[in-house]
Amino acid sequence: MDLAKIEQLVDLVARSSIAELDLTQDGTRIRILKRASAEASAVPAQPANRIKLEAPALHHRESPAPEAAADIIVPAPMHGIFYRAAAPDEPPLVEVGARIEAGQKICIIEAMKTFIDIAAEAPGVVLAVLAENGEEIAAGQALFRIGPAGSS
């Protein structure tokens, strides 16, 4: 994998709300993590020749849900193709009514021929899936509505 491709991936993670990208291609593994720091400017740049690259934390913009103040809208962290399942012949990763845990994979987005796992940031119950499987989505587009863990 060339340096330009790695720089594109670091930039993709930095501009999105995903916390981690783990990619293996042609025997090379790249893992990009975002620091959980409140001050993005306090994070020094990391050398580009390391396999583990860290991008600065971004401020998360929360979208208020008109249905209920406690509900969380999960936005698309980037432009790409939305997939509910890990493979075409597998069941969706989550269904409406499913209880999810923080860090649980809830969907996959294909961007730049790379499949990126999107994980829940908090526990709760899936109240709605707001995008269609295989649909092109825009950065910031609402994908899921998640209610508090006590919801049904």
Side-chain angles (χ1 to χ4, degrees), residues 25-123:
Q25 183 178 4
D26 300 327
T28 302
R29 180 175 181 223
I30 303 288
R31 184 173 182 210
I32 303 169
L33 300 172
K34 248 192 248 185
R35 285 199 174 144
S37 169
E39 295 184 34
S41 61
V43 179
Q46 298 294 319
N49 61 349
R50 291 179 59 197
I51 294 297
K52 180 179 179 184
L53 302 174
E54 295 183 1
L58 298 178
H59 295 286
H60 179 66
R61 179 177 53 104
E62 292 195 26
S63 304
E67 296 82 359
D71 292 352
I72 298 168
I73 298 296
V74 178
M78 69 199 73
H79 177 268
I81 306 297
F82 172 79
Y83 294 107
R84 293 189 58 201
D89 58 339
E90 292 185 18
L93 294 164
V94 295
E95 294 281 4
V96 172
R99 292 191 183 284
I100 58 171
E101 298 299 323
Q104 178 179 340
K105 186 184 341 180
I106 58 175
C107 69
I108 297 171
I109 296 177
E110 180 184 4
M112 296 174 34
K113 298 183 183 178
T114 302
F115 292 90
I116 300 160
D117 295 343
I118 306 301
E121 292 183 13

Side-chain angles (χ1 to χ4, degrees), residues 3-35:
L3 184 59
K5 176 78 171 185
I6 294 170
E7 288 174 345
Q8 286 179 331
L9 293 171
V10 169
D11 185 52
L12 177 73
V13 171
R15 289 183 290 118
S16 71
S17 65
I18 62 174
E20 178 179 345
L21 174 66
D22 197 345
L23 172 69
T24 302
Q25 183 178 4
D26 300 327
T28 302
R29 180 175 181 223
I30 303 288
R31 184 173 182 210
I32 303 169
L33 300 172
K34 248 192 248 185
R35 285 199 174 144

